[in-house]
Amino acid sequence: LDEFFDVATEAQLGVHKKPIIVVNVDGFFDALDVLLEGIVAKGFAKPMILDLYHLADGPEAALLALQEALLVS
């Protein structure tokens, strides 16, 4: 989680524009997604934080998300 938040913070500050793909095998990181949505809902973070990362259901989905993110940027 430390690395996730380091990279997300750097993305939010504009240090990099690299896609952040979280491989969410068996829903392991669903709680992270819920936590961040709750933080935004309570006004402790701006909604743009939710656009900084993508949860992928497995390695194949992660590679697809990465390819799509690189095509867009």
Side-chain angles (χ1 to χ4, degrees):
L1 290 176
D2 182 47
E3 288 82 5
F4 170 82
F5 284 107
D6 284 345
V7 173
T9 298
E10 289 175 349
Q12 189 173 12
L13 295 173
V15 174
H16 69 82
K17 295 185 187 276
K18 298 172 186 168
I20 302 169
I21 312 296
V22 179
V23 183
N24 190 29
V25 176
D26 294 330
F28 187 82
F29 287 104
D30 287 348
L32 173 65
D33 205 31
V34 170
L35 172 70
L36 291 172
E37 288 173 359
I39 288 170
V40 168
K42 301 267 187 200
F44 288 104
K46 295 181 181 176
M48 64 92 58
I49 188 111
L50 301 174
D51 297 328
L52 295 178
Y53 68 95
H54 175 80
L55 292 183
D57 291 332
E60 294 84 11
L63 288 173
L64 267 173
L66 182 59
Q67 288 173 338
E68 289 174 6
L70 293 175
L71 287 175
V72 171
S73 56

